[in-house]
Amino acid sequence: MRLELLSILNVERAARRACVLVTDIKSGEQRLVKGAEIAADPLAEQLDSALRMAKSATIEVAGRQVFLTVQVPPVRIVAIGAVHITQALAPMARLAGFDLTIIDPRTAFATPERFPDCALIAEWPQNVLPDFAPDRYTAIACFTHDPKIDDPALEAALSAECFYVGALGSRKTHGKRVERLKEKGFSELQIARIRAPIGLDIGAVSPQEIAVSVLSEIILALRKKPLRDSGAAA
Amino acid sequence: MLAADDDILARAEDWRKAGKGVAIATVTETWGSAPRPVGSHLVIDDEGHFLGSVSGGCVEGEVVTEAMDVIADGKARTLEFGVQDETAWRAGLSCGGRIRVYVEKVV
């Protein structure tokens, strides 16, 4: 591997950008394809699929063995609201391998006692999210039910390329939310990216079950739908 | 897997920039219950220092030895191992797996 390629690979990873190193095993020939360049690549379909599954793999191209070193940033979940559902979601997300951050400005909710060993930020989302820089490997799920807290996070999520945006609330609550976001200038296409009511419809009742349905919906969005498309819809 | 591989490739870059001879070994294929997934890396310097893992311990020694040759002659090569001998079993690794490892020099 050329040192130059290795350097770019490391820069891309540090910047949380996906890329694929394509190696012809026999000739040793190598090239690096950045996430943004994949659509225009001759191997677009294979690269896209490898990226979505986040799996390195050997493929055959015109009778030649080609190895794809897939580099995908760790997926982050941002939960807005240090509520009961989030308490259940935290250990589940950890087990499933996601990097979870919980944001809630209400210090009575956001306590280390309620959320042991969690990345917990007792701040308003609009103060935290700019530095956090949500990207296409970030999911944002809003659970507070309070527009003062949820809306700024949703606005940040819709302005970024988050692969998943979800908000708790009934259809009626969501209807009002849609109106508020429209007034803020968000398009219908953007607003349609919000999954509401949140979670896969598995008939979840308890907070723990709702956490399962939300985590499942996040995994579905991550694996089944090309990330590129969710970006294009932004 | 990815979080752990972070430091490994960054370290390979550091080593090379510090003027060391460096090789990167990558698991390219696995069969059966191989202990480390495809894409796992081991990086090796010209003094035999290494970081990362391609098998969870049982073939690292051989990969490091081969990597020294790769650093010396600059030719990439593919190695194949069966992770099924008695040593592997004793180490508590999954039996019956096989892995293919691509070793290349950083130039």
Side-chain angles (χ1 to χ4, degrees):
Chain A
M1 190 191 305
R2 298 200 306 278
L3 178 60
E4 174 211 350
L5 283 187
L6 180 60
S7 298
I8 301 174
L9 203 67
N10 285 331
V11 166
E12 292 300 295
R13 183 177 41 238
R16 284 183 54 82
R17 285 191 296 260
C19 62
V20 183
L21 179 71
V22 181
T23 306
D24 185 313
I25 294 283
K26 197 137 190 213
S27 69
E29 217 173 284
Q30 273 174 332
R31 62 198 178 89
L32 188 76
V33 186
K34 294 183 184 174
E37 303 163 350
I38 280 177
D41 197 88
L43 298 178
E45 204 173 306
Q46 290 99 317
L47 297 186
D48 186 62
S49 154
L51 212 61
R52 215 177 324 144
M53 304 316 288
K55 272 197 172 145
S56 297
T58 301
I59 60 169
E60 210 175 282
V61 180
R64 303 180 75 93
Q65 296 265 299
V66 172
F67 185 67
L68 307 178
T69 306
V70 173
Q71 188 170 269
V72 172
V75 171
R76 305 182 297 185
I77 301 176
V78 181
I80 306 298
V83 297
H84 206 159
I85 296 170
T86 326
Q87 283 180 290
L89 182 66
M92 291 179 194
R94 191 181 305 134
L95 277 175
F98 295 105
D99 175 359
L100 177 76
T101 301
I102 302 156
I103 300 174
D104 194 326
R106 301 167 299 179
T107 47
F109 286 78
T111 66
E113 290 74 28
R114 282 162 50 82
F115 294 90
D117 305 320
C118 286
L120 184 65
I121 306 175
E123 258 291 359
W124 290 91
Q126 60 269 40
N127 296 344
V128 178
L129 287 176
D131 278 343
F132 195 85
D135 55 24
R136 61 176 52 204
Y137 289 95
T138 306
I140 296 192
C142 298
F143 296 110
T144 73
H145 248 192
D146 182 342
K148 282 201 306 297
I149 305 171
D150 282 352
D151 281 12
L154 288 172
E155 288 162 23
L158 294 182
S159 305
E161 289 190 342
C162 299
F163 73 93
Y164 175 93
V165 190
L168 189 73
S170 64
R171 286 190 172 76
K172 198 174 148 201
T173 306
H174 187 60
K176 289 183 197 157
R177 183 184 288 137
V178 169
E179 289 312 312
R180 290 194 304 272
L181 289 168
K182 274 186 190 162
E183 279 171 28
K184 288 263 180 167
F186 287 92
S187 72
E188 283 190 22
L189 200 63
Q190 279 177 304
I191 296 169
R193 286 174 50 213
I194 303 174
R195 289 156 202 263
I198 201 168
L200 290 187
D201 185 7
I202 56 172
V205 176
S206 68
Q208 293 82 354
E209 289 171 2
I210 294 170
V212 170
S213 81
V214 172
L215 194 57
S216 310
E217 193 174 45
I218 289 173
I219 294 168
L220 182 73
L222 178 68
R223 301 295 184 209
K224 286 284 284 253
K225 194 175 150 206
L227 286 162
R228 223 177 44 225
D229 288 359
S230 69
Chain B
M1 172 186 123
L2 290 160
D5 284 348
D6 261 22
D7 312 331
I8 298 167
L9 291 184
R11 188 67 69 85
E13 185 183 343
D14 293 344
W15 283 353
R16 185 69 199 100
K17 283 185 171 164
K20 293 182 178 187
V22 178
I24 298 176
T26 308
V27 178
T28 56
E29 281 185 85
T30 65
W31 296 265
S33 46
R36 294 279 290 145
V38 169
S40 301
H41 296 296
L42 180 72
V43 303
I44 307 98
D45 78 2
D46 49 13
E47 288 173 3
H49 297 118
F50 65 93
L51 200 71
S53 151
V54 289
S55 76
C58 60
V59 303
E60 266 71 9
E62 274 181 74
V63 174
V64 169
T65 308
E66 289 281 345
M68 305 294 268
D69 293 343
V70 169
I71 293 171
D73 68 17
K75 280 190 200 142
R77 58 202 79 182
T78 298
L79 316 172
E80 211 174 303
F81 298 97
V83 191
Q84 55 194 357
D85 58 20
E86 203 191 327
T87 321
W89 188 83
R90 275 208 310 268
L93 297 173
S94 38
C95 311
R98 277 197 298 140
I99 59 171
R100 189 173 283 165
V101 180
Y102 181 72
V103 189
E104 61 189 311
K105 185 180 181 180
V106 179
V107 292

